[in-house]
Amino acid sequence: MTTSTPANASPLTQDQLKTLVGRAALQYVVPGEIVGVGTGSTVNKFIDALATMKDQIKGAVSSSVASTERLQALGIPVFDSNDVPRLSVYIDGADEIDGHGNMVKGGGAALTREKIVAAQSERFVCIADESKLVQTLGAFALPVEVIPMSTQRVIAQFAAKGGNASVRLKDGQPLVTDNGQYIVDVTGLQIVDPLAFEAEVSQWPGVVTVGVFAFQRAQVCLLGTANGVRTLEF
Ligand code: 5RP
């Protein structure tokens, strides 16, 4: 099902679209509860909007050090996910989302904690601008978090599937995630069966988390478009 909320007539920048969907996500936050919070530039807009209703929620479970710091700076209490058995809703962005709510995530290197918080949530609400909507996952480089000693083996396994994988760098050195691991980014894949792909790659030795979110797919996507917020329900 698709519904739209009109924006104003002038074209919006990508940043304004992110602000629009970040604010629109507030309608899914359950008053009196703890909300699951993702990571990224779109989620930052959501966190800023969440601050306007911080007195109506208990707090948040966060998927990254960066989001935790932003939440706390705005006075929103952050809970350890181990202390929160269940969340009604998890709000997060995506690098790609298809017409069934399957996503590629991890552009911000937070995919492992994102998948953990998504798994403890009843509903995943994805917030994204319309450039993220794709027919088939694979146009965006697929992030995979790996144990450092498995990196070359994982790269070779992706090469055997026709993918071109490389270690993500920061300042010329391998980027180290919040969990102390590396990220491998894979291009050249067409992920036609996201569930099977996620199940397979998750079994490879040394893979901590693959950035395909099919088991933890979105139930709702708030898509920022030139015509306003388009709501996709899966
Ligand atoms: C971080 C993520 C983000 O949700 C994804 O990269 C989208 O980010 P942005 O909202 O900045 O486009 O998965 O690991």
Side-chain angles (χ1 to χ4, degrees), residues 84-126:
V84 183
R86 163 204 155 272
L87 296 164
S88 296
V89 68
Y90 176 62
I91 314 269
D92 198 359
D95 300 307
E96 292 185 325
I97 183 163
D98 71 14
H100 304 285
N102 301 302
M103 294 165 287
V104 163
K105 291 184 46 52
L111 64 165
T112 296
R113 297 189 189 193
E114 291 173 341
K115 208 173 262 194
I116 292 168
V117 186
Q120 73 189 101
S121 305
E122 281 169 22
R123 181 145 77 152
F124 189 133
V125 176
C126 176

Side-chain angles (χ1 to χ4, degrees), residues 18 39-43 92-95 105-111 114 132:
K18 290 178 183 186
T39 299
S41 57
T42 316
V43 165
D92 198 359
D95 300 307
K105 291 184 46 52
L111 64 165
E114 291 173 341
K132 308 288 183 70

Side-chain angles (χ1 to χ4, degrees), residues 146 151-152 155 165-169 173-175 182-185:
V146 300
T151 304
Q152 291 310 319
I155 287 173
S166 57
V167 181
R168 191 181 299 181
L169 302 179
Q173 296 297 318
L175 178 145
Y182 289 177
I183 298 286
V184 163
D185 290 306

